[in-house]
Amino acid sequence: MKNNLVIVESPAKARTLARILGGTYDLKASMGHIRDLPKSQLGVEIENNFSPKYVVPRGKNKLVRELKEAAKGASVIYLATDPDREGEAISWHLVEITRSDSKRFRRVVFHEITEEAIQQAFKHPREIDMGLVNAQQARRVLDRLVGYQISPLLWRKVRRGLSAGRVQSVALRIIVDRELEIEKFVSEEYWSIEAELAKQEISDAAASFRASLVGHLNGNKVQLHDSEEADSLKNRLDKAVFSVLKVKARTVNRQPPPPFITSTLQQEAWRKLHFTAEQTMALAQQLYEGLSLGDEGSVGLITYMRTDSTHVARPALAESREYIAEKYGKEYVPAHARTFSGTVKGAQEAHEAIRPTRVHREPSQIKRFLNTNQYHLYDLIWKRMVASQMAVAVFNNVTIDIEAKCKEPRANYLFRAASSVNRFPGYILVYTEGRDTDEEEERDSRLPALSDGDALALVQIIPAQHFTQPLPRYTEATLIKTLEHYGIGRPSTYAPIISTLREREYIVKYDGSLKPTELGVIITGLLRQYFPDIVDIQFTARMENELDEIAEQKRDWVGAVQEFYAPFQVNLGKAATEMERVKIPDEVTEEKCLQCGKPMVVKNGRFGKFIACSGYPECKFTRSFQKKTGVKCPKCGTGDLVQRISKKKKTFYGCSNYPQCDFVMNTKPLPDPCPKCGSILAVFRDKYARCTKCDYRTKLT
C-alpha cells in the first residue's frame, strides 16, 4: 500500500510528478479549488467579522469523497499546489475539508517541475503559510463584497447581467479615460524640414545623407504651422551655406532585457505572437505542468509562470553561461553572471523568473512534441532567458551637428544627423525585444566620414506635413504594463481582468486595440459618481499593498476588510436611493428586417440578447442572437458554433446553419483545438479545458 499521498491541482501536473517521484507516492488532483464561496449568494457573514461561507463547488462532491478516502489511508499527505497565494489557499482548503490529522500534512513548494527541484522540496517541507492564505481570503472577500453588492444595483438601474469588480473596474476606467482623451483631442498641423546633404567634393545623391532641422543655432525653436511657413523657410534654406559644426562619436553598450516575469511575458507574447493574456497563461500553464516528450515522458519545460521576480537560480545561470559558450563562443559570455533588480511594485509572488527548466533543451529539439502555439511560446521564453545572460550588444553611435547660414534674412539654423552601427551583436544575435508602437525598427545607418568645419553641399530641402496624434488606445500589452506600473492587480489577475471586461462587453477589440463600448463608458461614469474609491487608481493600489502586508503577517485581514467596507456601505446606500435608471441605446446592426425592411437592433431581455426590428411595436419581428465562439462546426464544416439559450434557460452551443445542421454541445467550445488529437476543446468545471474526444485535459487561467 502506498503510504505517501501527494495532492496537486491538475492531472497534467500529477503525471509529471508521478514520473519523478516513482511508485511509492499516490498522486491525486484537486482540479483547482476544492472549496469556494457559493455562486448563488454573497457567502460572506458581514456581521461575523466577514467570515467566508465556503462550500464545495457543484460537481466536486465525488472528488472530495475520493480525496478524503485517499487521505485516510496515507501516513503522510504532501500538498504540492502552486507556489503562490492561490496555491497556498488550495492547500489550506484541502486540510480543512479532509479533516485529517494536521500533523500528517506537509506543504511542499517548488518553482519548476524537475527532479532536483522536486527532491529538494520534499526534503524540506514546511507548514501552511497562513499569511498567504489570509491574503487570498481577504482578496476573495473584498472582490465578493464589491461584485455581489454593486452588480445587483447595476441590474436594477441599467440592465440584467452586468457586473462590477474591485480591480476590473479600475482597468475599465483606465481604458475609458484614454478613449475620452482621444475623442476630445484636436489634431493640429505642423511641418518638419530635412536637408539632404553631401560632402562638398561629392555632391551626387548616391553619397548623400539626411539631417533634420532642430531649430535656430541660438537654441530657439522653429515652429512651422502650415505649408506657407514651410515653403518660406525652404526657399531661404535653398540658398543657405551648410557646414559641419561638430562630430560626436561614442561607443554604446546595449544591455539585454531580463528574463520574463508574468506581465512582461504577456506583453511580449501579445507584441510578437498576438496571443491574448488569457491564451498566454493557458499555454504557459501547460509548459509548466509538463508535456510528454516521447520516451522521456512528461516533462515540465518552464518554471512557474505567475511571478513578478527576475531572480534566476544559480544552477540555471551556470547552465546558461555554459550553453552560450558552447553554442556561440566565449566572446558572447559576459565576465560575470548577469542579475536583475526587480522594479515591480509589491513584488511578492513566486520568487524566480519564467525560464526554461533546461537551457540545453533547445526549442528545435522538442518542436515535434509541441503544438504550434506551445512551441512559439516556449521558443520566446527560451530565447529571452538565453539572451539575458549574453554579452552586451555594442554600437558605434555618431551625431553630427550642422550649421546652415542664411544671408537674407540673416539667420543661422541647426540641423542634426545621427547614425548607429552595430559593431558586435551580443545578445541581439538571439533576441530583440518587441515594441508597443508602430515606429520603424532600428536599422544600421551610416554617415560619411566628416570632420568639424567640413563644407557640405545641399542636394535638396525636403519639407513634410504632419498632424499631431492622440495617445493610442491601449493594447493588451500596454494595459498590462500600465496596471503593473500603478501596482493594480498581481501576476495572476491580469489575464482574468481583460477577459472579464471582454465577456461583459465593456470593451471590444478594435484594430488590435481595446476600445470601450458605450456600455463600458456608462458603467464607468456611474461608478465614478457613486463609488469613487472603486475606480480610483491610487486607492486600488493601496489595497494591493495592504494585501501584501497581510501576506507578510503584518496586518490582520479582517481589519483591512472592515476599513474598506465601512465607507463602501455608505456609498451603496446612497447609490440605491439616488441613482436613476439609465437607458442604453440599442445597437443597430447591418441586418434588415425580413418583414418591413427596417434596421434590426440588438436588445437585451430576460433570457439575454436577441435581435429585433427597430420598427417595434408596429413590427414585432425577432430572432435569436448568435454569439460566435470562434469554432467551426465539426459536423458540417461551414457553420460557426454559436451560443444559444434553451427554453429552460440553459446555455448550449449549436451550429449557425440550424436547422440544416443539428450539431449541438452543452459545454463551451474553445478556439484552440486539442493539441493531442485536433478535436474540439471545451470548458470543463469552469477552470479546465477538456477534449471532446480524447483524454486530453489542461487547466485554464
Side-chain angles (χ1 to χ4, degrees):
M1 183 177 180
K2 298 176 181 178
N3 293 323
N4 301 311
L5 173 64
V6 181
I7 305 179
V8 296
E9 298 97 328
S10 74
K13 190 174 179 181
R15 285 193 295 271
T16 310
L17 279 176
R19 181 186 63 80
I20 295 172
L21 293 172
T24 58
Y25 291 83
D26 185 20
L27 274 293
K28 296 290 183 182
S30 70
M31 309 303 293
H33 275 279
I34 206 70
R35 289 198 310 179
D36 202 357
L37 298 176
K39 288 187 175 182
S40 58
Q41 53 184 285
L42 181 64
V44 178
E45 297 179 354
I46 296 173
E47 302 302 325
N48 185 25
N49 291 327
F50 302 96
S51 178
K53 296 168 62 178
Y54 292 116
V55 298
V56 176
R58 196 175 186 180
K60 282 200 171 182
N61 288 305
K62 181 181 177 182
L63 177 60
V64 168
R65 289 195 298 270
E66 292 174 357
L67 290 174
K68 285 182 177 180
E69 191 63 30
K72 284 181 183 177
S75 57
V76 180
I77 305 167
Y78 292 96
L79 303 171
T81 52
D82 288 346
D84 55 16
R85 295 175 187 173
E86 288 294 321
E88 205 72 21
I90 291 173
S91 286
W92 177 71
H93 284 299
L94 285 166
V95 174
E96 293 290 305
I97 208 163
T98 56
R99 297 177 182 174
S100 301
D101 179 11
S102 61
K103 293 181 180 179
R104 290 190 295 144
F105 286 93
R106 307 284 189 276
R107 175 73 170 114
V108 290
V109 178
F110 43 85
H111 300 96
E112 59 180 308
I113 306 180
T114 59
E115 291 188 12
E116 298 87 343
I118 300 305
Q119 289 169 3
Q120 285 299 311
F122 277 74
K123 283 181 182 178
H124 305 284
R126 61 167 172 80
E127 295 181 352
I128 289 177
D129 187 331
M130 288 308 298
L132 296 177
V133 173
N134 288 334
Q136 191 274 345
Q137 285 197 109
R139 179 186 291 279
R140 193 77 182 90
V141 168
L142 284 168
D143 291 346
R144 179 56 66 96
L145 290 173
V146 171
Y148 272 50
Q149 296 195 68
I150 295 183
S151 297
L153 194 62
L154 296 177
W155 282 39
R156 295 195 302 271
K157 303 296 185 180
V158 185
R159 79 176 189 205
R160 294 177 63 85
L162 301 181
S163 71
R166 185 180 60 86
V167 180
Q168 78 181 47
S169 297
V170 182
L172 178 59
R173 179 237 170 118
I174 290 171
I175 296 171
V176 168
D177 283 353
R178 175 62 57 85
E179 191 68 22
L180 295 177
E181 289 177 22
I182 293 171
E183 290 176 358
K184 293 177 183 176
F185 185 83
V186 178
S187 183
E188 296 181 357
E189 180 184 8
Y190 71 96
W191 288 70
S192 65
I193 297 284
E194 283 189 327
E196 189 169 357
L197 304 164
K199 274 190 172 184
Q200 188 75 62
E201 64 274 16
I202 308 175
S203 58
D204 64 288
S208 64
F209 65 94
R210 288 194 180 187
S212 300
L213 174 65
V214 176
H216 289 282
L217 197 61
N218 60 13
N220 292 335
K221 293 183 178 179
V222 173
Q223 294 183 333
L224 304 174
H225 302 95
D226 52 44
S227 59
E228 290 183 5
E229 293 180 358
D231 287 341
S232 176
L233 181 54
K234 176 186 180 302
N235 293 333
R236 296 199 300 274
L237 290 170
D238 280 336
K239 303 171 185 177
V241 176
F242 289 81
S243 61
V244 175
L245 272 178
K246 191 169 187 179
V247 178
K248 302 174 187 175
R250 63 191 183 110
T251 300
V252 176
N253 294 336
R254 186 178 300 174
Q255 301 288 339
F260 285 125
I261 59 176
T262 303
S263 61
T264 54
L265 175 62
Q266 291 172 354
Q267 291 169 53
E268 194 73 341
W270 168 255
R271 297 185 193 113
K272 291 197 168 185
L273 306 175
H274 295 292
F275 288 173
T276 65
E278 188 175 22
Q279 185 181 12
T280 297
M281 294 309 290
L283 291 166
Q285 184 89 34
Q286 296 163 18
L287 296 175
Y288 164 70
E289 291 185 342
L291 296 170
S292 177
L293 302 186
D295 295 339
E296 198 174 351
S298 185
V299 175
L301 297 176
I302 65 170
T303 53
Y304 192 55
M305 64 285 160
R306 293 185 184 90
T307 176
D308 43 25
S309 171
T310 54
H311 171 70
V312 175
R314 287 185 179 180
L317 291 176
E319 185 197 8
S320 298
R321 290 168 60 81
E322 177 186 322
Y323 172 84
I324 293 165
E326 293 173 358
K327 184 77 174 182
Y328 304 107
K330 292 183 179 180
E331 66 272 23
Y332 283 89
V333 183
H336 304 285
R338 189 176 284 106
T339 58
F340 300 88
S341 57
T343 57
V344 179
K345 290 186 178 181
Q348 44 74 34
E349 299 285 359
H351 299 300
E352 193 174 354
I354 304 170
R355 59 169 176 81
T357 52
R358 291 289 180 270
V359 168
H360 281 85
R361 191 178 285 122
E362 296 180 4
S364 59
Q365 295 174 350
I366 61 172
K367 185 176 182 178
R368 67 186 186 278
F369 300 113
L370 311 182
N371 66 33
T372 301
N373 289 345
Q374 289 168 345
Y375 167 74
H376 285 311
L377 192 66
Y378 179 73
D379 183 64
L380 190 68
I381 293 169
W382 183 90
K383 285 179 177 177
R384 177 90 165 208
M385 176 59 201
V386 172
S388 74
Q389 292 304 314
M390 292 180 73
V392 298
V394 182
F395 291 83
N396 288 340
N397 288 1
V398 176
T399 303
I400 302 176
D401 287 349
I402 298 164
E403 180 182 22
K405 291 183 179 180
C406 295
K407 295 181 179 179
E408 296 179 3
R410 294 180 63 86
N412 295 341
Y413 293 91
L414 175 65
F415 282 74
R416 183 166 291 149
S419 73
S420 181
V421 178
N422 182 233
R423 194 178 79 189
F424 176 69
Y427 75 92
I428 64 175
L429 188 68
V430 172
Y431 176 87
T432 54
E433 199 166 13
R435 295 166 180 257
D436 288 320
T437 61
D438 293 331
E439 64 190 25
E440 291 186 3
E441 294 289 334
E442 290 182 18
R443 301 172 185 168
D444 275 8
S445 54
R446 298 177 185 273
L447 292 171
L450 295 170
S451 302
D452 296 359
D454 281 355
L456 299 173
L458 175 64
V459 179
Q460 62 176 326
I461 295 293
I462 308 164
Q465 183 187 40
H466 309 275
F467 293 92
T468 56
Q469 299 294 321
L471 290 170
R473 291 189 179 98
Y474 288 101
T475 63
E476 288 206 11
T478 55
L479 179 62
I480 290 169
K481 190 175 183 179
T482 301
L483 294 175
E484 182 186 61
H485 170 75
Y486 287 119
I488 297 171
R490 285 298 181 259
S492 59
T493 64
Y494 299 136
I497 286 171
I498 296 172
S499 61
T500 300
L501 292 177
R502 194 182 298 117
E503 288 170 5
R504 294 290 182 267
E505 298 182 349
Y506 294 160
I507 63 173
V508 292
K509 281 284 186 67
Y510 184 82
D511 287 341
S513 300
L514 304 178
K515 177 178 168 51
T517 61
E518 187 170 9
L519 176 61
V521 175
I522 289 171
I523 295 300
T524 295
L526 291 174
L527 294 178
R528 199 193 303 266
Q529 181 178 355
Y530 294 103
F531 301 94
D533 285 346
I534 296 298
V535 292
D536 182 79
I537 293 173
Q538 298 303 323
F539 179 86
T540 306
R542 285 198 300 273
M543 283 302 307
E544 294 292 350
N545 291 334
E546 290 182 16
L547 291 172
D548 294 342
E549 291 176 358
I550 294 168
E552 296 166 3
Q553 301 191 22
K554 295 178 180 178
R555 180 159 193 178
D556 172 58
W557 79 267
V558 175
V561 174
Q562 176 62 54
E563 191 176 291
F564 165 85
Y565 190 72
F568 174 70
Q569 192 175 29
V570 173
N571 290 337
L572 269 176
K574 289 177 63 178
T577 56
E578 297 177 9
M579 192 188 294
E580 297 181 357
R581 185 163 183 83
V582 178
K583 172 66 176 174
I584 300 177
D586 295 327
E587 178 188 343
V588 181
T589 71
E590 296 180 356
E591 184 180 345
K592 301 296 182 182
C593 177
L594 296 177
Q595 292 185 2
C596 71
K598 291 184 178 180
M600 299 289 283
V601 296
V602 180
K603 288 184 172 289
N604 283 272
R606 292 178 59 194
F607 306 117
K609 289 187 173 184
F610 65 97
I611 305 292
C613 179
S614 59
Y616 181 87
E618 289 77 16
C619 180
K620 297 181 180 179
F621 178 76
T622 64
R623 70 163 180 79
S624 62
F625 177 80
Q626 295 185 339
K627 184 177 181 181
K628 294 183 179 181
T629 62
V631 180
K632 284 290 182 184
C633 174
K635 187 173 183 180
C636 70
T638 59
D640 295 305
L641 294 187
V642 297
Q643 181 179 314
R644 299 182 186 276
I645 305 294
S646 70
K647 293 181 180 179
K648 294 183 178 181
K649 305 178 187 179
K650 298 285 187 179
T651 299
F652 70 99
Y653 301 87
C655 180
S656 60
N657 286 338
Y658 180 84
Q660 288 78 17
C661 179
D662 60 357
F663 178 83
V664 294
M665 57 189 295
N666 294 322
T667 51
K668 182 181 179 181
L670 296 170
D672 292 327
C674 173
K676 191 171 180 180
C677 71
S679 299
I680 293 177
L681 285 179
V683 175
F684 175 63
R685 291 179 177 172
D686 294 332
K687 293 192 176 182
Y688 292 87
R690 183 172 66 177
C691 182
T692 53
K693 283 194 175 180
C694 72
D695 60 354
Y696 179 78
R697 182 184 293 179
T698 188
K699 186 177 180 182
L700 294 173
T701 55

